[in-house]
Amino acid sequence: MQADIVIVGAGPVGLCLARALSGAGLKIAMVEQQSLADIGEPQFDGREIALTQKSVRMMRRFGLWDLIDPHARAPLRSARVFNGPSPGALEIGHDLSGHTELGWLVSNHLIRKAAYEALLQSTAEHGDVTLLAARKVSAVKADDALASVTLESGETLSAKLIVAADSRFSSTRKMMGIAANLHDFGRAMLVCRMTHEAPHEHAAWEWFGYGQTLALLPMNAERSTNAHQSSVVLTLPVGQVNEVAALEPEAFARHIEDRFMHRLGAMTLASTRHVYPLVAVYPERFVGKRFAAVGDAAVGMHPVTAHGFNFGLLGVENLGKRIIDAHKSGFDIGAPSVLQGYETQHRRATKPLYLATRFITDVYTNNTAPAKLARDFMLRAASKLMPFKKAIAASLTG
Ligand SMILES: Cc1cc2nc3c(=O)[nH]c(=O)nc-3n(C[C@H](O)[C@H](O)[C@H](O)COP(=O)(O)OP(=O)(O)OC[C@H]3O[C@@H](n4cnc5c(N)ncnc54)[C@H](O)[C@@H]3O)c2cc1C
């Protein structure tokens, strides 16, 4: 099969890139290892994605936003950062951003579903995207004239450009010989939905405790009971997370109440629980010969600053525009100059926050006495620095 672009991976970013390119006169092939049924009806995976205002604008432009049930889009009005047992917090309100909310929270599986539906709508009109589901890429090749991927089924797809959107552990990126810096935090995140007695006021919590990190992401009220509902995120060393995840629902709820020092009152488990090992990835390059990486394949963020998918959309915007501009002016879409522009801009957009996130997680999971003091001092100083607070608000709104 011959296409202009082959996108490997139909996760949320791969689907958004295909949607962004659809209608521009390009022939696009997508390869995804999951079945068509799983792509069309993705299951709840515990992740609630904090979306910046910029990401929401892009999702509107691609026709995704209106495909998501309004009740499933929860506004994020403020963010609170706690240190240790202290009840005082660094508070970033939406007023610092000039918006009525800092951003929005939407479940990852609903973003995936909406991205697929928006792509189907666009493809019905333009007939330009072919999705090859239940197929896995086994080899990638590129030369000056053309690139190609070989599937495990033996099929070969050639194109002017191959784009990897196949997760932070991208095998396509690896097969292109691109090295990546991996940082294994030795911890894992347990995520699930819980209902609770106390209201959350649509505030997200990031609570750097001693020996644990907790986060609370405010959802809209549980539909049938109208109970306050949040996504709870517990970060612990891997072995401990697995023990907590294995508790019976009742024991689990009591355990989480204790960890939250009963600040949310009685809590009840309201969903399945999911565990994610924490590994951050930053490749040495995002591009190669007739090759580009987007989404987590380009920048695999630690979720604490909630920017993985937001960066994925930034990459889609940046790379997508360059591909369309090149194509419209009759230029080679896989030319080094096109890809280098993406590389430079995306690195500039992502590297500072990637490094800052590493710094935050290193400092705020260090439980030595001097580190605890430094943590407290930094938070107090930050809460008095209006420009710093505004900078955080700007980063959250995008
Ligand atoms: C707990 C948690 C919370 C998060 N919270 C936030 C948040 O608040 N805000 C935010 O912006 N981001 C957040 N993220 C990050 C966000 O989920 C990711 O950035 C996003 O899912 C990346 O999408 P992707 O399409 O690049 O990759 P993925 O979602 O990993 O999708 C990759 C796709 O490629 C397919 N694939 C892999 N290998 C192959 C192959 N060889 N052949 C064919 N197909 C293949 C896979 O099946 C998959 O469908 C969070 C992540 C976690 C774990």
Side-chain angles (χ1 to χ4, degrees):
M1 182 180 176
Q2 173 87 44
D4 291 307
I5 303 178
V6 172
I7 301 173
V8 184
V13 176
L15 289 167
C16 285
L17 179 64
R19 172 61 196 86
L21 295 173
S22 176
L26 291 155
K27 192 172 171 201
I28 301 154
M30 295 193 82
V31 183
E32 168 58 50
Q33 62 190 3
Q34 291 184 25
S35 69
L36 210 51
D38 288 336
I39 302 168
E41 278 303 330
Q43 297 302 301
F44 174 75
D45 61 17
R47 294 185 230 185
E48 304 295 344
I49 305 295
L51 297 163
T52 62
Q53 298 284 3
K54 184 176 168 67
S55 293
V56 171
R57 281 197 296 278
M58 283 180 69
M59 288 168 70
R60 278 189 209 281
R61 207 161 65 233
F62 299 153
L64 265 80
W65 190 247
D66 292 334
L67 293 171
I68 300 169
D69 173 2
H71 189 76
R73 309 184 306 217
L76 182 58
R77 303 235 191 270
S78 65
R80 294 176 193 158
V81 185
F82 301 90
N83 181 45
S86 161
L90 163 67
E91 175 129 8
I92 311 291
H94 66 88
D95 44 321
L96 292 171
S97 72
H99 294 268
T100 46
E101 62 289 306
L102 288 170
W104 293 84
L105 284 152
V106 179
S107 300
N108 190 51
H109 73 295
L110 297 180
I111 295 176
R112 291 188 80 144
K113 186 171 158 60
Y116 179 58
E117 285 171 4
L119 181 62
L120 282 184
Q121 287 176 2
S122 184
T123 312
E125 189 181 337
H126 302 290
D128 50 0
V129 182
T130 307
L131 174 55
L132 303 168
R135 313 280 226 296
K136 214 170 162 180
V137 169
S138 59
V140 189
K141 264 195 333 212
D143 59 32
D144 289 339
L146 214 61
S148 66
V149 297
T150 306
L151 310 186
E152 280 183 356
S153 58
E155 263 170 286
T156 298
L157 315 176
S158 33
K160 294 174 192 149
L161 177 65
I162 308 290
V163 179
D166 54 348
S167 87
R168 65 189 61 205
F169 304 111
S170 171
S171 56
T172 316
R173 184 188 66 212
K174 213 180 255 180
M175 285 189 272
M176 286 298 294
I178 298 179
N181 294 304
L182 263 78
H183 183 81
D184 187 336
F185 292 85
R187 288 177 167 74
M189 255 181 184
L190 184 155
V191 283
C192 62
R193 282 188 177 193
M194 297 190 78
T195 52
H196 43 86
E197 260 177 342
H200 52 48
E201 296 158 339
H202 285 277
W205 297 11
E206 190 64 47
W207 188 350
F208 297 105
Y210 298 152
Q212 66 172 12
T213 306
L214 286 163
L216 189 82
L217 303 171
M219 314 305 304
N220 288 326
E222 208 275 330
R223 224 187 275 254
S224 53
T225 58
N226 214 27
H228 303 302
Q229 179 176 228
S230 297
S231 171
V232 165
V233 186
L234 170 64
T235 306
L236 290 173
V238 177
Q240 290 179 36
V241 160
N242 292 335
E243 278 175 27
V244 177
L247 292 172
E248 288 300 319
E250 266 298 314
F252 176 79
R254 301 295 79 77
H255 185 89
I256 298 294
E257 283 170 12
D258 287 346
R259 285 191 178 271
F260 272 95
M261 295 172 78
H262 300 269
R263 288 183 190 177
L264 293 159
M267 300 175 81
T268 307
L269 182 62
S271 76
T272 44
R273 288 166 277 182
H274 301 261
V275 173
Y276 293 92
L278 288 176
V279 180
V281 182
Y282 207 88
E284 285 178 2
R285 288 177 287 129
F286 299 149
V287 302
K289 193 171 270 187
R290 298 196 171 276
F291 173 84
V294 291
D296 277 17
V299 184
M301 292 287 287
H302 185 302
V304 69
T305 41
H307 262 71
F309 180 62
N310 292 305
F311 277 167
L313 283 179
L314 268 190
V316 164
E317 184 178 51
N318 175 356
L319 181 64
K321 185 177 177 325
R322 285 168 199 281
I323 292 172
I324 291 171
D325 287 351
H327 177 66
K328 278 189 181 152
S329 36
F331 203 70
D332 179 0
I333 58 168
S337 57
V338 174
L339 303 180
Q340 196 51 48
Y342 161 66
E343 163 89 34
T344 308
Q345 190 180 339
H346 201 46
R347 196 162 285 272
R348 206 180 292 137
T350 57
K351 191 84 185 256
L353 191 62
Y354 180 82
L355 294 176
T357 305
R358 281 284 310 274
F359 173 76
I360 292 167
T361 46
D362 285 350
V363 172
Y364 279 90
T365 51
N366 184 335
N367 295 309
T368 59
K372 282 180 185 169
L373 274 177
R375 288 164 52 163
D376 201 46
F377 172 78
M378 282 194 288
L379 216 59
R380 280 174 202 277
S383 59
K384 292 193 174 72
L385 281 176
M386 194 48 87
F388 180 76
K389 287 170 58 167
K390 282 194 172 158
I392 298 183
S395 146
L396 290 171
T397 50

